[in-house]
Each structure stands twice: as structure tokens, then as C-alpha cells.
Amino acid sequence: MGEIVGAGILAHSPTIMLPREVRHELNEGKEISLVPALARLRAEVFERLDYDTVVVFDSHWATTVEYVIAAQPHRSGLYTSEELPRGMRQIPYDFPGDPELARATANFAQRHGTWITPIEDPYLPIHYATVNLWHHLGVPGKRWLGIGCCQTADVEDNLRLGRALADGIAATDRRVLLVASGAFSHTFWNLRELRAHEASDPAHVRTPQARAADEQRIAWMQRGDHASVLAGMPDFLRYKPEARFGHYLMMLGALGEERCTAPGRLLGDYENATGTGQAHVWFDRPAGGWTASDARTTTSQGHLA
């Protein structure tokens, strides 16, 4: 039986792909913490943990009438962003996919009252919410499997996708890492103002209210209080989280929803990216499982989170 062995909500901000000297120029001469945090996550988890497949909930991949899962056996090429070709151009990517897990997940769509389609088309576009994180975290030979965010989905729909994925994983022999690739609050500064707000200091997040909402949710995640994050979604939607927070909600649906009590590790700082709230929060699998009653105080390594 397969299992989820780690999960996290990770920032894919374009700044993580800029040369170091450019990052320093934009950030008042300092490194943005998101980049060394990804290096730490790679060393501590992606290069050490026993897993087969990384499932990415891609907040830049918008679908409309169904959830779509990339089901190619292999994906490779050069990626240039239509949004920011100056900073993200001809980025090489090359990794095996996981069509078996994609099909297994789709097989549970009807049980959970949703629509999931695996697509094997080699010309299916890929997006930087996947490519940027693979660039920093991809380990040779490890499968990466992308799932799009459905723009007509509400909170319940996203949880249903997560439930189907959990069943698909259980039906296979896969050990899986889940990556919710996306931001917290997600309102940019206007173009005329934007260049004055490119530094990572969260003082540049678009509004103090959005910053406070982000920091509250990060605190809940660090305590393993996912029930409060879920219950607070109607309020959080006022701050326009990226993809309506579908990337996190799909992940949470696979981890047990409000019953998930896994505490998170904030890797790096909570930071600004042109008005949006960015953070890496990683959840190690607790020894007793994702919904264990004692998971909020200890991680799977047995130390305080």
C-alpha cells in the first residue's frame, strides 16, 4: 500500500530563478531567504527521504471543467515563461512522470463526486509553478506528477480531489511527497508602484491586513491547526490567496482535512514578492500518521517541530 511521507506548501516566486546578483540588487543587497531555504529542504528531505513520486499541485495551471493530471511517462524540454521571459527563459527540465498514479487517482473521481482526467499528450504545457521547484528540488530518477488547479472549484471540490489522490496513492505502492506550489495572499502592486516594492521585507506585502491574514495561517500551520485554516477560508478568500488556495486545499484533502494535525516547519522567512505573501512551510509525517492526536507536538523524527 502506498503512503504520503511528506508534504509542504512552497513558494515558486520568479525571484528564486534570478541570478544571485540580481536577487541581491532587488533585495537591498541581501539574499532572499526562499532560496537557501529550498537548498536546505533539498538536503534534509528531497535527497534523504525514501520516496518515489513528487505530486505538485500547480497553482499556475488553471483548468475549468475538470481536474487534469499530467500522465506522461516522461517530461523534458526547455521552459520559457510567457509572463516573465526576461527572468525565466530556456530553463531545462527533465524528469520521469507517473502515469500509473495519475490513472489510479482518476479511478476514484466518481467515488468522491468529482471529475479527474489524466492527459498523456506530450504537448501539454508545463508551468513555472512546477519547473521552478523542480529546478531547486528535483532529484534524478524521482518521478514528478503535476495536477492543475480547477478555477471553478470551491473549497469542497478541492478537498474531494485530495481525497481521490489519497485513495490513488493507497491503491499503488508509491511513497509520495506532496507539494502545494503557490503563494498565500496574492495581490500585486500596480505597475507604476511595483518597482518600489520588490524587496522581500513583508512590509511590502500589498496591505497590512493581507500580511496579518497570511501570518495567522502560517502560525496555525506551524501548530498543526489545519482545522482553523480550513474553517477560516471564507475570511481568507477576501485577501485573494493564489488559485483561491486550491494548492493547499488539495494537499490538505489528501492529508485528512480538518483532522490533519501535522505541525509545519517554516523554512526561511515569510516574505514579499511584488505585493504577494510567500513562504515555505514543510510538514514531516508524524510518527502516528497525519491525523495522530499527538502530531501537533512531535514530528516523525520525535523532536519538537
Side-chain angles (χ1 to χ4, degrees):
M1 176 180 280
E3 62 178 331
I4 299 165
V5 296
I9 178 168
L10 304 180
H12 60 245
S13 171
T15 51
I16 70 174
M17 302 301 290
L18 294 173
R20 182 177 179 180
E21 60 272 16
V22 178
R23 298 197 303 268
H24 285 210
E25 180 182 351
L26 294 176
N27 195 37
E28 302 171 338
K30 306 184 297 294
E31 176 64 285
I32 64 171
S33 76
L34 298 176
V35 174
L38 286 173
R40 176 186 168 192
L41 183 61
R42 180 185 179 106
E44 293 182 359
V45 175
F46 282 73
E47 290 183 343
R48 293 178 58 186
L49 207 60
D50 177 20
Y51 67 97
D52 306 297
T53 300
V54 178
V55 173
V56 181
F57 305 107
D58 188 315
S59 62
H60 271 243
W61 178 9
T63 65
T64 304
V65 301
E66 62 197 344
Y67 289 98
V68 178
I69 304 182
Q72 301 87 348
H74 195 95
R75 304 202 79 178
S76 63
L78 297 174
Y79 174 78
T80 294
S81 167
E82 77 282 9
E83 179 187 348
L84 276 168
R86 174 169 51 89
M88 292 181 289
R89 65 175 183 270
Q90 298 189 35
I91 301 167
Y93 61 92
D94 189 340
F95 53 82
D98 198 338
E100 180 184 355
L101 180 55
R103 290 190 292 267
T105 300
N107 287 341
F108 288 98
Q110 185 174 5
R111 173 183 291 185
H112 293 289
T114 192
W115 295 265
I116 305 171
T117 304
I119 296 294
E120 299 178 17
D121 188 336
Y123 295 101
L124 183 71
I126 198 166
H127 302 272
Y128 74 73
T130 294
V131 173
N132 288 6
L133 291 181
W134 178 84
H135 175 84
H136 285 276
L137 301 173
V139 174
K142 299 295 186 181
R143 305 177 180 98
W144 279 57
L145 174 68
I147 301 178
C149 284
C150 184
Q151 61 185 342
T152 56
D154 61 13
V155 171
E156 174 63 21
D157 289 315
N158 286 314
L159 295 174
R160 291 183 184 196
L161 181 283
R163 295 167 197 157
L165 174 64
D167 283 345
I169 292 169
T172 67
D173 61 352
R174 299 292 191 267
R175 292 173 59 83
V176 174
L177 298 179
L178 302 182
V179 170
S181 177
F184 286 76
S185 64
H186 201 253
T187 301
F188 298 105
W189 288 93
N190 295 336
L191 181 60
R192 294 190 306 278
E193 304 171 280
L194 188 148
R195 282 164 176 77
H197 298 283
E198 291 187 296
S200 65
D201 190 318
H204 295 284
V205 170
R206 191 63 179 85
T207 67
Q209 294 82 6
R211 175 182 177 178
D214 289 346
E215 291 177 332
Q216 176 66 81
R217 277 138 191 89
I218 291 169
W220 282 332
M221 291 179 189
Q222 288 179 289
R223 295 201 300 265
D225 188 4
H226 299 273
S228 288
V229 181
L230 188 55
M233 278 306 302
D235 179 67
F236 195 39
L237 289 172
R238 296 192 296 133
Y239 303 104
K240 302 187 187 315
E242 187 163 22
R244 295 162 65 182
F245 225 37
H247 48 299
Y248 168 81
L249 293 167
M250 288 188 282
M251 178 184 74
L252 188 63
L255 297 178
E257 303 168 49
E258 72 279 355
R259 295 176 293 110
C260 179
T261 53
R265 294 190 280 147
L266 179 63
L267 299 171
D269 302 321
Y270 167 67
E271 295 187 343
N272 164 72
T274 58
T276 68
Q278 308 284 334
H280 302 312
V281 185
W282 188 258
F283 308 98
D284 299 300
R285 184 184 184 279
W290 295 104
T291 58
S293 59
D294 62 345
R296 292 181 183 175
T297 56
T298 58
T299 70
S300 58
Q301 281 73 42
H303 56 266
L304 291 179

